[in-house]
Amino acid sequence: MNVLNFVNAFFSDSAHWQGYDGIPARLGEHVRYTLEALALAAAIGLPVGLVTGHYGRGGNALSLVATAGRALPSFGLLVLMTTLLGFGMLPVMIPLVVLAVPPILVTTYEAMRSVDPSPVDAARGMGMHESRILFQVELPVALPLILSGLRSAAIQIVSTATIAAYVSLGGLGRYIVDGLYQRNYEKVVGGATLVAVLALVTLALFWAAARAAVSPGVRRS
Amino acid sequence: MIRIDSVTKRYPDGTVAVDRLSLEIPDRSITVLVGPSGCGKTTTLRMINRMVEPSEGTILLDGEDIQRQPVTTLRRSMGYVIQNAGLFQHRTIVDNIATVPRMLGWGKQKARARAAELMERVGLDAALAKRYPYQLSGGQQQRVGVARALAADPPVLLMDEPFSAVDPVVRKGLQDELLRIQDELGKTIVFVTHDIDEAIKLGTMVAVMRTGGHLAQYAPPAELLSGPADAFVEDFLGGDRGIRRLSFFPSARLELTSDPVIPLDATAEQIAAPDAPYLLVTDADGRPLGWSAPRDLVAGDIRPERLLSHGRPFVPGTDSLRVALDCAVLSPTGWAVAVDTGGRVTGVVSQATIGEAIRSAHAAGRDDEKVAG
Amino acid sequence: MNGFLHDFFDIPSDLQHSWIGLVGLHLREALLPVAAGLLLALPIAQLCIRFRWLYPPVLGITTVLYAVPSLAFFVVLINYTGQTELTVMIPLAVYSLVVLVPAIVDGVRSVPQETLSAATAMGFGPLRRYFQVQLPIAVPAIIAGLRVATVSSISLVSVGMLIGNQGALGNLLHDAQIYNRPELTWNSVITTALLAILVDALLVLVRVLLTPWMPSGTAGRKQAPALKDAAR
C-alpha cells in the first residue's frame, strides 16, 4: 500500500468525520491551539520587536533571547512542563510560544531596522510624534517582513502542535500518535495530510492578509 | 529672523560638530550653509528645528528662544526637505504632500485640495497625484519633497542637500524652480549643500564652513568671490572665481553698436560704409544670420550658408556680464551679438568693450565695499 | 546534591549508552542531516540562481515540505526505512534543505552586481567566480541559515523517541516516565538546549573566522550620532 491509498482510505471512512475523534472536532482543536499560541507569541514578540527595532537598541540581547528560545527542544519542553504542571493546556502552550516567539521577535526587529531612515528623518523633521512615526511611517513599510515572521511562526506552531497529543490533548496529532501506537498507518498518514493542508491554508491566509494590508506603494517597490 | 548665537554641538564621544557658531539668517531670503563634509553644516541646520540639541548657545526665532515651544510645534512651523526626499513609500503622492496639514488637523478634502495646488506650484503633473513614490523619477520625488515641506505654508524652509542625489541637468531644473518659487513665496530658506556653485547660484547670503564646525566666511556670493576671507575659502571657491563673479554684474549697461549690422539685402554702400573687420548680417525680421568679412560680401547676392556662425547671442536685460563675455569669446569674430527677448539684433559688442565694462564694474564694486566698510 | 548529580547522569541501561554516548549520538543524528542538506542545497540554490524562473516553484515545494510535521514524517517513513536512525535523519535533512536553499539564494543574490562585473572583467571564469567571489560574500547569509537549520535539527531529534527510541537524548524523556525519574527529563531538555547553543556559538565563530572583512559587532549598524540625537 502506498501513501495515497492510506490517504484515500482515511478520508473515505465515514467514522472519521463525526464524534469527538472526528476530523471536524480535531481540526477545530488544532486551530484553537494554533491561534492561542500565535496570539500569545505575537503579544510578546511584536511589541518588543517594534519598540527595540524603532530605537535600534537591544539587538544583541534579542538575538540571545531568540537563540535560547530556538535551542529549547519543543518536545522535551512539553514533557518537562507536563511533569511540572500536570496535564492541561498550559504545558502545551509554553513550548509552542517558546517556539514561535523567536521568529516573530527577530523578523519584527529586523523589519523595523531595515526601514529606510530618510522618511523617518523627514517625519521627525515635520514634527511627527515618535508613536506616530512608528505606526504610520515605519510599520506600513516593515509590514511585509513582519507578516513573514508571523507566517513562519504560525506554520511552525501548526506543525508542532501535533505533539500535544503525546500528553493526552486533542488536535490533529491525536491521529498520528494513536495511529502510531495502534500500528494504524492509515490514521497516521491521514493526520499528517490534514496538518500539511492546514499549514497550506495558513500560508494562503497570510498571503491574502499581505495583499489586503500592505500598501501597493510598498509591495511594488 | 533666525539668530544663531554662539552655538556649540559637542557629542558624548568628544567630537565637536559645531564650534561657537554665530549667524544671523535674514528673513525672506535664501541663506546657504556650504562646506566640505564634516564641517557641521547639516548639524547646524538640524539644530534649527531641534533634530539636534545644541550643547551650548541659543537659537532665536523672531527673537524667541526655540527651546521655549514644544518641539513638534516648532517643527510643524518649519518645512523640512532632505536628500532623496524621504517620501513615505506607502502613501500616494497627494497624501505625502498632505501629511503636515493633516497633522495640524485639517480636513481630508481641504488637505488634498492644498496638496493639488502645491503640485502645480512645484511643476508636477496633476496626473501623478494618485501614484506612489516608486513610480516617480528622482527629480519628481524631490519636487514632491519640496511640495510636502511647503504644504502648511510654513514661514521657514530647511533644506538639507535636497538636490545632491539627482543628475546635473535635473538639478539645474530644480534650482531654477526653487528660485522661481522663492520669488513667488518669499520664504526664509536655510539651504545646506557641499556644492559651492549651487551655493553661489541660490544664496542671498552664503556661510562657508570649515571642518570642525567653524564659520570661515559669511557674505553675499559676489563679495565671497571678490574677497575670500582666507586661503581656505579661496581654495574652496576653486579657480576662475573672477569669471564666475561676473555672473553678478548685469550686461544691461554694455555699450552696443549697430554699425556693423547690415540686412541681407544690403546695398554696396551699406557693406562698404562701416569701418569694421566683420559685418553681422540679419534677416528681414532682424534676426542674426552670421558674420562675414566685408570683402567676401556681394551686394544683392549674400548667401546665408556662406556666413560664419554668429555664435550664441545674449540678452542685455537678463544675462550677466559673464554670459556676454562668454558669447564674445565663443564668437568666431570676437564680437558678441546682443538680441532682445524676441531674438532680434539690438547691436554687437567687442571683447575690448566688455573688458572695459568689467574694469569699471570692479571699480564700482570696490567703491561699494569701501562704503559698506 | 551529590545524590542528585549522580541521579542526573545515571542513564538507565536500556538506552545502551552513557550520557556522553547519548550526546554523541544526538549530535550525529542532528548534524549529519544538516551536512547532507547543505550538500544538496548548494547545487539546487545554484540552479535557482542560474534559472530565475525555477526559484518560485522550488520555494513553494520547500515551504510545503516544511509544513509536514516531523512526527508524521517519521511515521510515514517507518514503512520504508523501519524504526532506524535513517528514519529520523531523512526528514531532518529535508528541513535543513528547506531552510538552506533560500538562505543561499538570497545570500548569493545579495552580492552586488558591480562586484560580479568587476570579477568578470578581471577574467574570472564562472566557476572560479562562484567559489572565489560569490560564495565567500554569501558566507554570512549561508551561516545564518545553517544556524537555524542546526538548532532546529538538534531540537527535533528528540521527537525520534516516539518511533522506537530513535531520539538520542530524547529517549531520556521516555525513560523518565517509565522509571518515574523527572531528573532525566531535565537532563534531556538542558543537555539538548546546551548542545544547540554550543553548536550555534561554534557556527558564529566559524563565521567570524571565515569573514575577517566583516565589521565585528554585526547586530545593529552604527547610527550617525545626529540620528540618535533626534530620536529622543
Side-chain angles (χ1 to χ4, degrees), chain B residues 274-344:
Chain B
D275 178 26
Y278 289 99
L279 300 177
L280 180 72
V281 182
T282 62
D283 66 10
D285 293 328
R287 285 171 225 282
L289 288 172
W291 292 98
S292 176
R295 63 174 179 281
D296 295 335
L297 293 175
V298 181
D301 188 28
I302 300 177
R303 300 201 191 139
E305 69 274 11
R306 294 181 60 180
L307 299 172
L308 294 169
S309 157
H310 58 77
R312 169 183 156 218
F314 71 99
V315 184
T318 355
D319 286 330
S320 65
L321 266 188
R322 184 181 177 172
V323 178
L325 179 63
D326 191 56
C327 296
V329 170
L330 288 177
S331 162
T333 60
W335 289 63
V337 178
V339 294
D340 61 17
T341 45
R344 285 177 294 269

Side-chain angles (χ1 to χ4, degrees), chain B residues 106-295:
Chain B
W106 296 24
K108 199 161 199 159
Q109 286 313 311
K110 191 181 165 201
R112 287 205 168 161
R114 170 72 180 154
E117 179 190 324
L118 278 161
M119 285 184 70
E120 195 184 327
R121 183 169 300 280
V122 300
L124 282 169
D125 188 349
L128 299 176
K130 293 282 172 205
R131 299 264 178 91
Y132 285 96
Y134 77 94
Q135 294 167 308
L136 270 58
S137 71
Q140 286 172 325
Q141 289 192 18
Q142 204 48 261
R143 282 169 201 263
V144 177
V146 173
R148 186 173 64 176
L150 289 170
D153 203 15
V156 176
L157 209 55
L158 306 178
M159 308 184 81
D160 188 3
E161 306 217 12
F163 307 147
S164 15
V166 294
D167 69 64
V169 176
V170 175
R171 189 183 314 148
K172 183 178 181 303
L174 289 168
Q175 289 167 347
D176 294 340
E177 199 84 358
L178 179 67
L179 287 173
R180 186 182 59 72
I181 294 170
Q182 173 65 356
D183 269 351
E184 294 166 13
L185 301 180
K187 300 286 180 191
T188 302
I189 299 178
V190 187
F191 191 106
V192 164
T193 180
H194 58 257
D195 176 357
I196 184 68
D197 290 319
E198 185 168 67
I200 283 168
K201 175 170 179 179
L202 297 178
T204 315
M205 289 293 283
V206 177
V208 183
M209 295 179 70
R210 84 171 97 213
T211 317
H214 303 279
L215 181 65
Q217 189 171 8
Y218 187 41
E223 204 176 297
L224 208 61
L225 288 168
S226 65
D230 56 20
F232 167 78
V233 179
E234 187 169 5
D235 188 48
F236 192 71
L237 286 166
D240 64 5
R241 62 187 166 83
I243 300 279
R244 278 150 64 198
R245 185 171 169 239
L246 294 180
S247 308
F248 296 95
F249 299 123
S251 60
R253 276 181 292 176
L254 275 179
E255 230 172 274
L256 304 177
T257 167
S258 18
D259 290 347
V261 183
I262 56 163
L264 193 57
D265 54 2
T267 59
E269 293 80 58
Q270 277 174 307
I271 293 171
D275 178 26
Y278 289 99
L279 300 177
L280 180 72
V281 182
T282 62
D283 66 10
D285 293 328
R287 285 171 225 282
L289 288 172
W291 292 98
S292 176
R295 63 174 179 281

Side-chain angles (χ1 to χ4, degrees), chain A residues 117-201:
Chain A
S118 66
V120 177
D121 187 52
R124 210 165 266 145
M126 276 185 248
M128 244 188 221
H129 290 292
E130 288 303 309
S131 59
R132 205 165 172 154
I133 292 177
L134 201 165
F135 288 109
Q136 294 192 4
V137 179
E138 292 176 293
L139 187 59
V141 179
L143 197 57
L145 252 181
I146 293 176
L147 281 176
S148 84
L150 282 169
R151 185 189 65 207
S152 64
I155 301 275
Q156 287 185 46
I157 294 174
V158 166
S159 158
T160 310
T162 47
I163 59 172
Y166 180 72
V167 290
S168 308
L169 256 77
L172 296 169
R174 267 286 43 102
Y175 297 129
I176 299 171
V177 171
D178 291 351
L180 183 64
Y181 283 110
Q182 300 159 2
R183 306 244 153 222
N184 180 348
Y185 289 122
E186 174 189 313
K187 220 171 177 178
V188 172
V189 173
T193 311
L194 282 170
V195 176
V197 169
L198 188 59
L200 287 183
V201 171

Side-chain angles (χ1 to χ4, degrees), chain C residues 30-189:
Chain C
L31 298 185
L32 276 181
V34 176
L38 181 62
L39 278 183
L40 278 172
L42 280 171
I44 293 178
Q46 191 50 33
L47 281 176
C48 289
I49 293 162
R50 180 60 64 84
F51 308 103
R52 281 183 160 266
W53 55 267
L54 205 60
Y55 191 43
V58 166
L59 211 55
I61 294 167
T62 53
T63 312
V64 173
L65 284 175
Y66 198 65
V68 179
S70 51
L71 183 53
F73 220 141
F74 294 157
V75 176
V76 171
L77 278 178
I78 291 178
N79 242 11
Y80 305 93
T81 47
Q83 299 196 348
T84 61
E85 268 186 0
L86 199 60
T87 308
V88 176
M89 297 203 303
I90 291 174
L92 295 185
V94 171
Y95 292 143
S96 302
L97 182 72
V98 165
V99 173
L100 287 171
V101 168
I104 299 171
V105 171
D106 294 344
V108 172
R109 273 194 191 164
S110 73
V111 177
Q113 195 56 48
E114 310 88 81
T115 309
L116 295 183
S117 308
T120 312
M122 281 185 271
F124 279 64
L127 210 63
R128 199 186 174 90
R129 197 179 75 167
Y130 179 71
F131 283 106
Q132 295 193 354
V133 181
Q134 285 179 292
L135 214 50
I137 295 182
V139 158
I142 296 172
I143 294 209
L146 271 178
R147 287 175 66 188
V148 174
T150 318
V151 170
S152 84
S153 188
I154 289 175
S155 161
L156 283 175
V157 165
S158 305
V159 185
M161 177 271 267
L162 289 174
I163 54 159
N165 269 357
Q166 295 298 340
L169 285 164
N171 300 346
L172 289 172
L173 300 169
H174 187 237
D175 278 23
Q177 289 186 312
I178 312 179
Y179 302 121
N180 192 22
R181 287 181 55 192
E183 73 274 8
L184 291 183
T185 311
W186 281 102
N187 186 333
S188 169
V189 171

